[in-house]
Amino acid sequence: MYPRSFNDSNGDGIGDIPGIIEKLDYLKQLGIDIIWLSPVYQSPNDDNGYDISDYQDIMDEFGTMDDWEHLLAEVHKRGMRLVMDLVVNHTSDEHAWFVESRKSKDNPYRDYYIWRAPKEDGSEPNNWASSFSGSAWQYDDMTGEYYLHLFSKKQPDLNWENPTVREEVYNMMRWWLDKGIDGFRMDVINFISKHPDLPDGKIKEGKKHASGSAYFRNGPRIHEFLQEMNEKALDDYDVMTVGEMPGVTPDWAQEYTDPKNNELNMVFQFEHVDLDSGSGGKWDLRQLQLTDLKENLSKWQYALQDVGWNSLYMNNHDQPRMVSRFGNDGQYREKSAKMLATLLHMMKGTPYIYQGEEFGMTNVQFEDIHDYRDIETLNMYKEKREEGVPHEEIMQSIYVKGRDNARTPVQWNDREHAGFTTGTPWIRVNPNYREINAEAALNDPQSIFHYYRQLIDIRRREDVVVYGDYELLMADDEEVFAYTRTLNEATLLVICNFYDGAPTFKLPKTLHDHKKHLLITNDEIGDELSEELTLRPYEARVYKLTR
């Protein structure tokens, strides 16, 4: 959940904790078990709350600690759980630790962060790029040294080599756990261990800075740090942990989530949401090939079949809207949204539903760059304009990949500002809210919302969805994504037409003699399953097969 855009209770245009409480019955009706709350801690909001200035206080815009404690109680009263965002790769530069750290080279807090002297020519200690454009180093006049920031210059990286830093983090985690939270989603947690030498990266042609990811993703002490975190902060509590891990591989994910290693319960990985990026990175748009998506999702299904656990998602607060990116947000918006949900929810792993996904919210296209709020988007725009790239060309990339696509306010109804606020929203509402909103979805028994409820119910009823082995069918087909899940004598058959054509699905001969029961479909069809069938645009079917 992204609180800033969820629901505003007091008319200041910013979503808040009391606003979340107002919508808990809606979330309960949807059928979710766990709410993951993006950061609500005290923050100057350079990166929308992911720059934390006080880990043990609530951002004024979101409410008070009393409000938060009320939220936790109301979540638990409804039989749901609350997972907090843990952002400990970096803090805000306004955190008390960093304020002290920059005062002098011998300050007790100096070693809480990663400081380095300039090179002889005064330049940065290495050539690493920030994820938000430009150098990953910021010069500080007060002591004449640079500090590392893998993200915004207002997000200095913590020095996890310092055992005192680690103990501070574990103390903070225990403080929240003692309040009764049910776990942590750990932001870029595989970045916390850096190669001690901080070597230069390889600069690509035409770039000013290099990716340093080889020296901080899955770094040399990452397993040690995660195991220590469990030992000192997590092991005494019945909680869930999920690690956001850019660049993680299936082999790494097995290690991170293997119970015997005592590190994480599951991972967030990003390979499938990078398949429509060209060699130039995120903003370099390329057409997604379905065979690439099938190969990638299947790779993860197979790799974590016996050991490990994966997160299932196609959008979140950092990714554009699923139905716009992977489906058809025009004529087939509802049908393609249901198809994509079917594809994900029947796989092995834990499905994550991002606010508004459950009724088919879409990407937004603001013509004016000043209507955008995301620091990554604004920095990229500025950098590209300085390079001479036309406004229109940059905006096309933003329309497809910008993070603000996911951050426009939740569209609750067709009234002013989509019912999100009685004031002026912090970011403009998507203009299509009059047609696409939660109220309309709740009142339509055939809506995406009620389809999600059915999918969630199937996961709860059918053990094969949770535990069954995965097998991809028709691997080379460019239109159909089909697979089976098998547990003992039960087989789940999932058939998804990814586009608006009419491809043919052929039932494998090994399944011909099975009894076939239709569990769910997004189309008007009978219960029958022939050995060969022609699919309709964006059609999805799930059958339970038994001998």
Side-chain angles (χ1 to χ4, degrees):
M1 176 180 294
Y2 196 70
R4 179 169 292 271
S5 300
F6 190 68
N7 184 44
D8 173 25
S9 70
N10 61 6
D12 67 355
I14 297 169
D16 48 42
I17 292 171
I20 297 171
I21 296 172
E22 290 177 357
K23 300 297 184 180
L24 288 179
D25 288 337
Y26 167 87
L27 298 176
K28 180 68 175 177
Q29 183 179 357
L30 178 59
I32 67 166
D33 300 303
I34 300 170
I35 296 171
W36 153 31
L37 200 59
S38 285
V40 292
Y41 315 103
Q42 200 62 257
S43 167
N45 265 320
D46 184 60
D47 185 26
N48 282 310
Y50 282 87
D51 50 317
I52 297 169
S53 55
D54 189 339
Y55 287 107
Q56 290 167 248
D57 197 7
I58 299 298
M59 192 186 306
D60 296 337
E61 295 171 331
F62 289 157
T64 65
M65 187 61 75
D66 285 344
D67 291 329
W68 180 89
E69 289 175 345
H70 184 203
L71 170 65
L72 182 66
E74 292 296 320
V75 167
H76 286 168
K77 184 189 298 184
R78 289 164 175 80
M80 298 186 292
R81 299 188 179 192
L82 186 67
V83 166
M84 297 290 282
D85 220 315
L86 184 75
V87 188
V88 290
N89 174 71
H90 48 265
T91 70
S92 166
D93 66 345
E94 297 182 30
H95 194 289
W97 298 343
F98 189 76
V99 172
E100 289 295 317
S101 180
R102 68 186 304 193
K103 285 182 178 179
S104 67
K105 294 179 183 179
D106 58 0
N107 189 283
Y109 287 90
R110 184 68 167 186
D111 199 38
Y112 274 45
Y113 296 86
I114 300 173
W115 293 91
R116 292 291 187 274
K119 291 182 179 177
E120 289 186 6
D121 63 359
S123 62
E124 295 92 343
N126 69 25
N127 63 6
W128 292 2
S130 161
S131 294
F132 290 165
S133 301
S135 172
W137 295 93
Q138 179 67 24
Y139 184 75
D140 190 64
D141 287 330
M142 199 171 297
T143 57
E145 288 193 341
Y146 287 89
Y147 64 85
L148 180 69
H149 60 91
L150 294 181
F151 296 92
S152 160
K153 66 181 181 181
K154 288 184 66 62
Q155 292 171 292
D157 279 51
L158 285 166
N159 176 21
W160 273 72
E161 296 293 320
N162 183 345
T164 307
V165 168
R166 303 201 301 275
E167 194 57 45
E168 293 266 24
V169 169
Y170 306 150
N171 286 338
M172 175 268 292
M173 292 172 67
R174 289 191 296 268
W175 188 83
W176 283 103
L177 291 163
D178 286 339
K179 282 184 170 293
I181 68 168
D182 302 292
F184 291 106
R185 176 268 187 186
M186 302 178 180
D187 187 67
V188 294
I189 196 65
N190 62 326
F191 287 15
I192 60 176
S193 172
K194 279 79 170 176
H195 189 293
D197 297 335
L198 306 179
D200 279 344
K202 185 177 180 180
I203 295 182
K204 293 183 178 180
E205 186 176 350
K207 297 289 185 180
K208 296 179 181 177
H209 301 97
S211 170
S213 60
Y215 305 109
F216 60 75
R217 285 183 179 177
N218 312 304
R221 299 182 68 187
I222 183 63
H223 293 294
E224 175 191 344
F225 292 159
L226 290 176
Q227 289 165 11
E228 181 184 76
M229 179 185 289
N230 276 271
E231 178 188 346
K232 295 192 174 183
L234 295 166
D235 281 350
D236 291 336
Y237 304 87
D238 179 19
V239 293
M240 181 193 91
T241 57
V242 52
E244 182 199 34
M245 294 188 151
V248 71
T249 64
D251 288 344
W252 277 99
Q254 283 182 349
E255 289 193 55
Y256 286 128
T257 61
D258 187 336
K260 75 174 189 290
N261 293 334
N262 199 29
E263 296 182 16
L264 296 168
N265 295 133
M266 70 182 88
V267 297
F268 263 115
Q269 54 85 19
F270 294 86
E271 285 188 356
H272 64 297
V273 291
D274 286 335
L275 296 173
D276 57 356
S277 299
S279 59
K282 168 179 175 173
W283 304 104
D284 180 14
L285 306 181
R286 68 183 287 265
Q287 183 67 39
L288 174 71
Q289 298 298 313
L290 179 59
T291 47
D292 291 343
L293 183 65
K294 289 197 286 188
E295 179 183 11
N296 185 267
L297 292 181
S298 299
K299 176 181 74 174
W300 282 88
Q301 288 289 296
Y302 289 129
L304 303 186
Q305 194 115 276
D306 299 319
V307 176
W309 201 256
N310 197 12
S311 303
L312 305 173
Y313 76 99
M314 279 187 166
N315 51 196
N316 58 34
H317 67 286
D318 281 337
Q319 299 290 334
R321 289 287 176 180
M322 180 172 82
V323 70
S324 296
R325 185 179 191 181
F326 298 107
N328 180 322
D329 64 7
Q331 177 183 357
Y332 295 105
R333 181 184 65 87
E334 291 204 13
K335 198 172 179 187
S336 66
K338 292 176 182 178
M339 181 275 292
L340 292 168
T342 306
L343 178 75
L344 280 184
H345 280 245
M346 295 298 103
M347 287 187 172
K348 190 169 189 175
T350 298
Y352 285 72
I353 302 169
Y354 181 67
Q355 58 195 45
E357 172 191 333
E358 74 280 4
F359 58 87
M361 281 182 63
T362 68
N363 282 357
V364 71
Q365 296 189 4
F366 299 139
E367 294 182 9
D368 191 336
I369 189 63
H370 295 100
D371 286 328
Y372 289 87
R373 300 290 179 264
D374 172 40
I375 184 173
E376 179 190 39
T377 299
L378 297 176
N379 285 354
M380 182 277 292
Y381 180 88
K382 180 176 182 291
E383 188 177 84
K384 293 292 185 184
R385 290 295 288 139
E386 289 172 352
E387 294 172 1
V389 181
H391 166 82
E392 294 76 11
E393 183 178 330
I394 305 172
M395 296 307 291
Q396 286 306 311
S397 293
I398 293 172
Y399 294 158
V400 174
K401 292 289 190 71
R403 298 197 298 181
D404 280 340
N405 283 306
R407 298 177 182 183
T408 57
V410 171
Q411 296 159 207
W412 292 108
N413 55 47
D414 63 1
R415 295 179 283 284
E416 187 178 21
H417 303 314
F420 165 72
T421 182
T422 57
T424 302
W426 72 278
I427 186 172
R428 284 178 54 198
V429 175
N430 192 319
N432 64 15
Y433 70 89
R434 296 193 186 279
E435 296 78 39
I436 303 172
N437 60 74
E439 185 175 82
L442 284 168
N443 292 329
D444 176 8
Q446 302 303 314
S447 70
I448 300 168
F449 179 91
H450 291 294
Y451 191 86
Y452 267 77
R453 294 182 65 203
Q454 294 178 62
L455 289 171
I456 292 168
D457 183 61
I458 291 171
R459 288 192 70 93
R460 290 197 173 119
R461 287 189 286 109
E462 302 289 348
D463 285 349
V464 64
V465 184
V466 180
Y467 303 109
D469 288 341
Y470 172 94
E471 183 179 356
L472 178 67
L473 306 177
M474 301 171 62
D476 297 327
D477 193 281
E478 293 285 0
E479 295 179 85
V480 178
F481 197 145
Y483 60 88
T484 59
R485 303 285 310 286
T486 303
L487 180 67
N488 301 323
E489 296 300 311
T491 295
L492 204 71
L493 173 63
V494 182
I495 308 167
C496 295
N497 179 7
F498 222 77
Y499 300 109
D500 59 1
T504 299
F505 171 79
K506 294 182 179 180
L507 184 68
K509 290 181 180 180
T510 54
L511 301 178
H512 283 186
D513 61 348
H514 285 57
K515 296 177 182 178
K516 306 166 183 70
H517 171 61
L518 182 67
L519 291 181
I520 192 169
T521 180
N522 65 352
D523 210 329
E524 296 181 5
I525 61 172
D527 191 45
E528 78 287 343
L529 173 60
S530 57
E531 294 177 6
E532 186 171 310
L533 57 89
T534 300
L535 299 173
R536 298 173 183 176
Y538 296 100
E539 182 180 340
R541 305 183 184 195
V542 179
Y543 290 90
K544 185 177 181 181
L545 312 181
T546 54
R547 291 188 180 277

